[in-house]
Amino acid sequence: MRAHLVHLRGGAPFLSPADALCLVGMLDAGVSVPLILAALDRCVASRMKNRARRPLTLTAAKRHLGKPPLVDPGFARDPGEAPLEPVRAALSGVGDPEATALAAALEGLASDEPDALVTEAVALCRTHHERRWTALPDDERERRIAAAIVELGDIANVVDSDTLRQLAEEVARDAFRSAWPRLDTATFEALVQP
């Protein structure tokens, strides 16, 4: 979950004490990993819609546990089809070597346990997106973050510079991820359901 949170928001690769306590509480309460990942994804979608003024936290995502996704997963599976086939087919049709490699990796996932399959698929996609984001030249990442600051508009006037930078990186990363087909927890959860 820590890696997914950092992937969505950018920034430091660690949890705050409040987020660590929140995560331990959720896991101790028996909340599944895919449910936590879906809450994070839903929280990000809500934040993009409402232009949040505070950095993404696990604590903020907690209220999204168990709620339906804000965005339609966008894929449906035919009966008898492998669970992740719609995403694999969409990626194969992109015509990009990275998309083809990700499609092959998703096809290679063979868990019969739905939660494990969702968790593994999300991890593969997260690694894919992180690799692409880090492969961008530094000046391109900075350009995207600067564009996100402009997109945030008046929020820049009411938050400190560190918070603005964190919010802008979250917006820039979200825009960067959106260039690919639906590679999120809600999509994978919808597909693995019997």
Side-chain angles (χ1 to χ4, degrees):
M1 271 86 39
R2 178 199 53 81
H4 198 65
L5 175 63
V6 171
H7 163 69
L8 295 172
R9 72 166 187 216
F14 57 85
L15 294 178
S16 69
D19 279 342
L21 188 59
C22 180
L23 178 59
V24 168
M26 286 189 280
L27 293 173
D28 284 350
V31 178
S32 72
V33 171
L35 198 58
I36 296 169
L37 297 177
L40 280 165
D41 288 349
R42 188 182 193 286
C43 186
V44 167
S46 173
R47 293 167 59 77
M48 292 303 122
K49 182 178 172 186
N50 299 317
R51 289 293 176 226
R53 296 179 182 192
R54 294 187 180 153
L56 174 65
T57 64
L58 223 122
T59 306
K62 185 177 179 180
R63 71 172 195 219
H64 295 279
L65 284 172
K67 292 183 178 178
L70 291 175
V71 178
D72 177 22
F75 288 112
R77 151 169 87 105
D78 293 330
E81 188 174 57
L84 303 181
E85 179 56 25
V87 174
R88 191 209 60 75
L91 286 167
S92 296
V94 170
D96 176 282
E98 287 186 50
T100 304
L102 180 57
L106 287 169
E107 187 174 30
L109 297 178
S111 179
D112 290 335
E113 165 56 37
D115 281 358
L117 188 56
V118 169
T119 302
E120 291 170 15
V122 169
L124 277 174
C125 293
R126 178 178 58 245
T127 300
H128 165 77
H129 284 309
E130 280 300 313
R131 186 174 47 250
R132 290 180 55 242
W133 177 259
T134 359
L136 288 173
D138 290 344
D139 61 331
E140 174 63 14
R141 275 195 308 274
E142 288 304 316
R143 185 193 67 72
R144 289 171 180 269
I145 291 169
I149 288 173
V150 170
E151 185 181 333
L152 287 168
D154 290 340
I155 290 175
N157 300 326
V158 295
V159 298
D160 63 73
S161 61
D162 289 340
T163 301
L164 179 61
R165 171 80 184 188
Q166 290 174 348
L167 295 172
E169 185 170 349
E170 183 182 334
V171 169
R173 284 172 169 264
D174 184 65
F176 186 70
R177 286 188 306 271
S178 71
W180 287 72
R182 303 282 310 151
L183 301 176
D184 58 21
T185 311
T187 298
F188 296 122
E189 281 193 317
L191 291 173
V192 302
Q193 298 309 314

